[in-house]
Amino acid sequence: METPILRMAGNPEDSNELYIKREDLLPFSMGGNKVRIAEAFFRDMKQKGCSSMIIYGSRHSNLCRVLSALCRSRGVPCVMICSHEEGEEQEITNNTVLVDWTGTEIVHCRKQEIAAAVEDVMKRLTAEGKTPYYIFGNKYGTGNEGTAASAYAEAYREILEYEGRQGFSFDYIFLPSGTGATQSGLICGKLLMGGRASVMGVMISSREYERAREVIREGIVSYFERAGKILPGDYQQEIHLLDQYRQEGYGKYDKRIEDCIREVYCRDGVALDPVYTAKAFWGMKEYLREKQVKGKKVLFLHTGGGPLFYDYLTKREKASLL
């Protein structure tokens, strides 16, 4: 399931070499990092002898899109807990349409009601004779961090192998950091296999910084415990999390992000979305500019989100007609 790493055009005003790892090209359900993570959850569910899956996310969720399709294709009942922020717009997204296509049951709730919604669904499925598996562990969303991290602990090997073929090492790996699973996994891979690159997560959500950092830490610890590996004492030095580029939080963006989407598409033919990848790509460029980083080899992990790119195009088209 290896995805290509390609050289990008970059900006003429800096001397950095910019590369992109195209996780959006993974061949299932429009690709993205959640394909690897979904497979890890599915294996874990089967190993635990469960017969149904409970997934969680917002209406933008790439993970829910992929997991619902995976469950449908393998004949596993699936229920999605879909949470909403106070005052959040409730328009339909392409991801929610695709989840609906799979026949996944969607249970709506507010952010503060997630635990109760998970508990209710678990009790109902159990009463129906099913053995439910909640992807994030217990009803509070803890206890299964290492499963998701395992996907990108393995994927990190692909980056090292690419470096070996090219005869150089990356100085930085940037990526969107939402749930923290992908960043946790990459850090685990680095701790186990070595490498020079700093793994830089660009926050895209409204989660509190300290909590976001703790989630990443929990993912690393959980992975090492599950793998039976000894965790280095200084592992937290590898957690680099940037919260200054998330604007107003999850799903929020402005003209700077829109300009980034257009620029990357026109320069490199790569589609970014405003919720995850474009925000992180813009944050990466801002960080490199503000820190005056020059002459470095930089890798951007494209975590996918194709349906959200088309959401953005549709929204722009509607706005232009008003």
Side-chain angles (χ1 to χ4, degrees), residues 10-11 55 64 67 87 93-94 113 154 217 243 265 294:
N11 288 334
I55 63 180
C64 289
L67 275 170
T93 70
N94 284 317
E113 300 169 341
E154 258 319 299
R217 191 197 69 79
D243 68 343
Y265 182 80
K294 303 288 184 182

Side-chain angles (χ1 to χ4, degrees), residues 5 19-20 33 68 81 89 101 106 111-112 124 131 141 158 180 289 308 317:
I5 295 176
Y19 296 77
I20 186 168
N33 65 325
S68 63
I81 308 296
E89 294 180 36
W101 277 8
I106 302 178
K111 281 284 186 181
Q112 61 270 31
R124 174 164 57 83
T131 308
E158 296 176 17
R289 179 184 62 80
L308 300 177
E317 181 64 23

Side-chain angles (χ1 to χ4, degrees), residues 283-294:
M284 171 187 71
K285 299 293 281 185
E286 286 295 294
Y287 177 88
L288 296 174
R289 179 184 62 80
E290 291 167 4
K291 300 298 183 181
Q292 299 184 357
V293 176
K294 303 288 184 182

Side-chain angles (χ1 to χ4, degrees), residues 15 44 47 49 111 170 288:
S15 59
D44 189 54
Q47 288 170 3
K111 281 284 186 181
F170 291 112
L288 296 174

Side-chain angles (χ1 to χ4, degrees), residues 216-233:
I216 294 170
R217 191 197 69 79
E218 289 169 353
I220 297 169
V221 171
S222 176
Y223 172 80
F224 271 78
E225 288 177 349
R226 290 164 61 94
K229 305 287 187 180
I230 297 175
L231 181 62

Side-chain angles (χ1 to χ4, degrees), residues 5-296:
I5 295 176
L6 307 171
R7 176 80 182 270
M8 299 187 77
N11 288 334
E13 65 268 17
D14 66 45
S15 59
N16 296 309
E17 291 183 16
L18 183 58
Y19 296 77
I20 186 168
K21 183 166 176 58
R22 297 292 304 273
E23 295 293 271
D24 58 312
L25 300 181
L26 285 167
F28 183 79
S29 185
M30 299 191 182
N33 65 325
K34 298 306 191 291
V35 174
R36 295 186 196 259
I37 292 172
E39 287 284 3
F41 280 135
F42 203 89
R43 286 193 300 271
D44 189 54
M45 181 193 73
K46 287 300 184 183
Q47 288 170 3
K48 291 175 177 174
C50 297
S51 60
S52 60
M53 181 175 282
I54 303 171
I55 63 180
Y56 164 75
S58 77
R59 60 194 172 84
H60 296 295
S61 177
N62 291 319
L63 179 59
C64 289
R65 163 177 47 90
V66 178
L67 275 170
S68 63
L70 192 63
C71 286
R72 176 59 185 264
S73 70
R74 298 182 184 179
V76 173
C78 182
V79 180
M80 174 186 175
I81 308 296
C82 183
S83 69
H84 308 282
E85 300 272 7
E86 291 296 334
E88 180 183 354
E89 294 180 36
Q90 297 301 312
E91 78 268 16
I92 298 298
T93 70
N94 284 317
N95 274 345
T96 53
V97 170
L98 292 172
V99 171
D100 187 61
W101 277 8
T102 66
T104 293
E105 177 189 351
I106 302 178
V107 175
H108 295 274
C109 68
R110 291 177 295 184
K111 281 284 186 181
Q112 61 270 31
E113 300 169 341
I114 298 168
V118 171
E119 185 175 35
D120 287 346
V121 172
M122 292 186 78
K123 287 180 178 178
R124 174 164 57 83
L125 292 176
T126 301
E128 294 171 359
K130 301 181 179 71
T131 308
Y133 172 90
Y134 180 42
I135 58 172
F136 293 128
N138 62 29
K139 67 179 182 179
Y140 300 109
T142 61
N144 205 24
E145 295 83 0
T147 298
S150 68
Y152 275 87
E154 258 319 299
Y156 182 81
R157 188 185 307 275
E158 296 176 17
I159 298 173
L160 285 185
E161 290 173 350
Y162 176 85
E163 290 178 331
R165 293 193 298 269
Q166 299 300 314
F168 67 72
S169 296
F170 291 112
D171 297 287
Y172 296 95
I173 300 171
F174 284 87
L175 71 153
S177 191
T179 64
T182 302
Q183 187 173 357
S184 296
L186 291 174
I187 293 171
C188 289
K190 180 180 179 181
L191 291 170
L192 289 171
M193 301 175 220
R196 189 173 74 186
S198 297
V199 179
M200 313 291 289
V202 181
M203 288 185 68
I204 52 83
S205 73
S206 53
R207 177 179 280 169
E208 292 181 0
Y209 174 81
E210 291 302 328
R211 178 55 188 154
R213 184 180 173 87
E214 179 62 13
V215 167
I216 294 170
R217 191 197 69 79
E218 289 169 353
I220 297 169
V221 171
S222 176
Y223 172 80
F224 271 78
E225 288 177 349
R226 290 164 61 94
K229 305 287 187 180
I230 297 175
L231 181 62
D234 59 352
Y235 73 96
Q236 293 197 57
Q237 295 179 14
E238 297 294 341
I239 303 176
H240 304 288
L241 191 59
L242 309 177
D243 68 343
Q244 62 267 46
Y245 307 112
R246 53 179 161 179
Q247 299 188 16
E248 296 179 14
Y250 188 75
K252 306 292 185 181
Y253 59 91
D254 61 14
K255 186 177 182 300
R256 294 171 295 179
I257 305 301
E258 294 186 276
D259 289 345
C260 178
I261 293 172
R262 179 173 294 199
E263 176 188 343
V264 173
Y265 182 80
C266 291
R267 182 179 291 166
D268 292 282
V270 175
L272 302 177
D273 75 272
V275 180
Y276 299 99
T277 52
K279 185 178 288 187
F281 194 94
W282 170 77
M284 171 187 71
K285 299 293 281 185
E286 286 295 294
Y287 177 88
L288 296 174
R289 179 184 62 80
E290 291 167 4
K291 300 298 183 181
Q292 299 184 357
V293 176
K294 303 288 184 182
K296 301 297 184 181

